[in-house]
Amino acid sequence: MKEIGFFEKYLTIWVILCIAAGIGIGAIFGENMSYLSSLEIAHVNIPVAALIWLMIYPMMVQVDFSSLKKVGKNARGLGLTVVVNWLVKPFTMAFFAWIFFDQVYSAWLTPEQADQYIAGAILLGAAPCTAMVFVWSYLSNGDPTYTLVQVSVNDLILLVAFVPLVQLLLGITDFQIPYDVLVTSVIVFVLIPLVAGYLTNRLLIQKKGADWLKTKFLPKLKPLSIFALLTTLVLLFAFQGEQIIAQPQHILLIAIPLALQTYLIFFLSWVAGRYLKLPYRVCAPASMIGASNFFELAVAVAIALFGLSSGAALATVVGVLIEVPIMLSLVQLAKRWAY
């Protein structure tokens, strides 16, 4: 029976513990934490950049761009995931965020808080999943080759589409987003890890072989990625602590539209996949990649654009908090609907 790895399975619990640890550290050290937030280059916080690079690099090592030669074998599945991830999902996320944060929650949120949470949701919606989709595909008996191809394709699109898409959607919400910060974020958090991961992948396969890379090297990198993620969350909540203690209900307010968006995108992708007569082993991962998010990138860009203590950063962290339990429920649903 297939099972999710220990750290991934209990990621929600680790996040909750990091929330507690971060709030405690923030309460103990107080204003001394501001020194860490001041360590910036080109609006990118250096300690957080290092942690997020460690988070993203292990994911990029497993992306094999030689798999792009197989694009034609699953053209309909790839067409579905490209359309959903880049022409549907960002806009439905922006719509849900606007409806809930700006309209439904207007009695509980200030306009400034609403704008920040909308921005965080948009960053999540514009970043399709890169790493965890391998886990969701594996657990739902998806085609591993197709999953690898769709991740490779989406990573390449991410390099050129993420910045203008975020600029467009945040511009609609009247945010003045410095273009250079967005571009710097994509270079630091996507392009550099992607190139480093690709070179590592090619070099290790050439010297050690693909089996050694898959069974020996990649498993050792996974704990590093999880550790970097959790350490980043501790830092985030060290700055967010006072806000969380004062308004804990905001976690729930943020979680509701993010959860609705996740289920909506899964169902849209699944129905479209069935209509296109995709095999189950392609339809499942095609639906999973749209439903889940590249939350590591969203967290990084939220920090770069709005700061460690921003509502936008908090919204992206809530995305991390709810991702695993929701995606596990969708894995079970996909297996129940297997055809």
Side-chain angles (χ1 to χ4, degrees):
M1 181 178 177
K2 293 182 176 180
E3 291 187 1
I4 190 172
F6 178 77
F7 282 108
E8 293 90 346
K9 184 175 182 179
Y10 297 106
L11 182 58
T12 299
I13 294 176
W14 309 141
V15 172
I16 292 172
L17 292 175
C18 286
I19 291 174
I23 291 173
I25 291 171
I28 293 170
F29 292 99
E31 294 183 0
N32 292 328
M33 293 295 297
S34 61
Y35 173 72
L36 286 177
S37 66
S38 66
L39 300 175
E40 292 185 349
I41 294 179
H43 302 284
V44 176
N45 183 266
I46 298 171
V48 173
L51 287 169
I52 292 178
W53 204 89
L54 290 175
M55 203 189 308
I56 295 174
Y57 165 73
M59 305 169 194
M60 298 306 190
V61 174
Q62 61 188 315
V63 177
D64 181 5
F65 287 106
S66 64
S67 64
L68 292 174
K69 293 181 291 186
K70 302 172 183 175
V71 163
K73 293 184 178 180
N74 289 294
R76 285 178 301 166
L78 286 169
L80 172 62
T81 189
V82 169
V83 169
V84 169
N85 281 328
W86 298 105
L87 298 180
V88 177
K89 177 183 177 181
F91 299 94
T92 57
M93 179 68 94
F95 177 74
F96 271 120
W98 174 74
I99 285 290
F100 278 87
F101 297 130
D102 204 44
Q103 305 297 317
V104 178
Y105 297 158
S106 59
W108 298 292
L109 300 178
T110 66
E112 293 76 19
Q113 289 172 327
D115 285 346
Q116 286 284 316
Y117 296 158
I118 289 171
I122 286 172
L123 291 173
L124 282 169
C129 187
T130 292
M132 290 297 285
V133 70
F134 289 109
V135 177
W136 312 135
S137 177
Y138 170 75
L139 292 177
S140 58
N141 300 312
D143 184 335
T145 301
Y146 169 76
T147 304
L148 183 59
V149 172
Q150 73 170 356
V151 168
S152 302
V153 169
N154 275 282
D155 277 345
L156 291 177
I157 295 174
L158 183 71
L159 288 173
V160 296
F162 181 78
V163 170
L165 192 56
V166 168
Q167 185 94 4
L168 169 66
L169 292 173
L170 290 180
I172 291 173
T173 64
D174 295 327
F175 268 112
Q176 299 299 315
I177 301 301
Y179 192 79
D180 61 326
V181 178
L182 263 178
V183 172
T184 300
S185 298
V186 171
I187 291 173
V188 172
F189 301 124
V190 180
L191 182 60
I192 294 176
L194 188 62
V195 171
Y198 172 77
L199 293 176
T200 303
N201 180 288
R202 295 290 89 198
L203 183 63
L204 291 180
I205 287 178
Q206 184 179 359
K207 290 195 170 184
K208 297 284 189 175
D211 287 341
W212 184 89
L213 174 73
K214 185 175 180 180
T215 61
K216 300 292 184 182
F217 186 74
L218 290 179
K220 290 181 180 179
L221 278 184
K222 273 190 178 181
L224 175 65
S225 182
I226 296 293
F227 172 78
L229 169 63
L230 298 180
T231 306
T232 302
L233 297 185
V234 170
L235 279 179
L236 280 171
F237 281 97
F239 288 93
Q240 298 276 2
E242 289 185 7
Q243 299 179 51
I244 298 299
I245 292 172
Q247 299 169 314
Q249 72 275 15
H250 283 207
I251 300 293
L252 177 62
L253 295 180
I254 295 169
I256 290 172
L258 297 187
L260 290 174
Q261 157 80 2
T262 302
Y263 284 111
L264 172 68
I265 293 300
F266 175 83
F267 290 129
L268 284 177
S269 302
W270 185 271
V271 170
R274 293 303 308 269
Y275 176 79
L276 292 170
K277 295 181 170 56
L278 298 180
Y280 167 77
R281 299 190 76 216
V282 171
C283 187
S287 302
M288 297 292 176
I289 194 172
S292 53
N293 302 306
F294 191 174
F295 52 74
E296 296 86 353
L297 175 63
V299 170
V301 177
I303 293 170
L305 289 175
F306 303 104
L308 276 163
S309 59
S310 66
L314 178 62
T316 59
V317 171
V318 174
V320 183
L321 182 65
I322 67 172
E323 169 124 348
V324 171
I326 290 178
M327 292 306 300
L328 285 176
S329 74
L330 292 177
V331 165
Q332 293 305 315
L333 197 58
K335 290 169 72 174
R336 192 178 307 159
W337 290 349
Y339 54 91

